[in-house]
Amino acid sequence: MEKCNCWEEKYQIIGWYNERTPMFSNKPIQHCNGTKERKECTCDGDTTKCNFYIGKRKEKKTINTSEMWLKAQEDGYCYEMIMPQSSNDEFFYQKDKGLFDGNGFQVTMDNFENFDEFMNEQWKLRTMTKSEAEAKFNIKIVDD
């Protein structure tokens, strides 16, 4: 876990007093020094749980094959294998389609030297900009 450099935890004395038994305790209070008002937070210094800045909460960009397969079963999205720059191959995986290439044809394990190599491949969520999607699918995307 990456500790946030804006996060700070201080102890605050909390107490009450009555004539018979004064009671005091130290309570840990977390603050985000990245906010103007140094607001209270609950992230415990973990940047992926940041209460205020979405940019810090971004998920890990690449995942291995087993993590990708589990996520694809859960969300149904299409994932793209990260290939070396020298390779012209494109491989994708989607829950309903399985493993396929850039032309939409099914891919078998014969395309990989061994199972361990395939399991160590890195994947990312397949995304494209609006203009890329319009060009690829020859459609016009309109906003609602």
Side-chain angles (χ1 to χ4, degrees), residues 84-127:
Q85 294 290 356
S86 61
S87 174
N88 292 332
D89 295 333
E90 289 182 309
F91 293 118
F92 304 97
Y93 180 85
Q94 193 167 3
K95 179 181 177 181
D96 298 332
K97 291 183 175 182
L99 189 61
F100 58 99
D101 65 12
N103 297 321
F105 296 113
Q106 290 297 119
V107 174
T108 65
M109 292 302 294
D110 298 337
N111 292 70
F112 303 94
E113 287 191 30
N114 58 45
F115 184 72
D116 289 339
E117 178 190 287
F118 176 68
M119 293 306 288
N120 288 325
E121 293 292 346
Q122 293 296 301
W123 298 79
K124 66 180 180 180
L125 183 63
R126 184 181 187 193
T127 58

Side-chain angles (χ1 to χ4, degrees), residues 35-120:
T35 59
K36 185 177 179 181
E37 298 82 18
R38 295 189 59 220
K39 292 184 179 180
E40 224 176 279
C41 64
T42 58
C43 69
D44 290 323
D46 186 352
T47 56
T48 61
K49 298 177 185 173
C50 182
N51 298 62
F52 304 107
Y53 300 105
I54 294 171
K56 286 189 175 188
R57 289 194 302 246
K58 288 184 180 172
E59 291 183 32
K60 187 170 64 167
K61 295 278 186 200
T62 63
I63 52 180
N64 68 28
T65 302
S66 60
E67 292 169 323
M68 175 279 300
W69 189 85
L70 291 170
K71 284 182 75 89
Q73 301 313 303
E74 193 176 285
D75 59 27
Y77 292 142
C78 184
Y79 289 85
E80 178 180 356
M81 184 184 292
I82 300 170
M83 302 297 280
Q85 294 290 356
S86 61
S87 174
N88 292 332
D89 295 333
E90 289 182 309
F91 293 118
F92 304 97
Y93 180 85
Q94 193 167 3
K95 179 181 177 181
D96 298 332
K97 291 183 175 182
L99 189 61
F100 58 99
D101 65 12
N103 297 321
F105 296 113
Q106 290 297 119
V107 174
T108 65
M109 292 302 294
D110 298 337
N111 292 70
F112 303 94
E113 287 191 30
N114 58 45
F115 184 72
D116 289 339
E117 178 190 287
F118 176 68
M119 293 306 288
N120 288 325

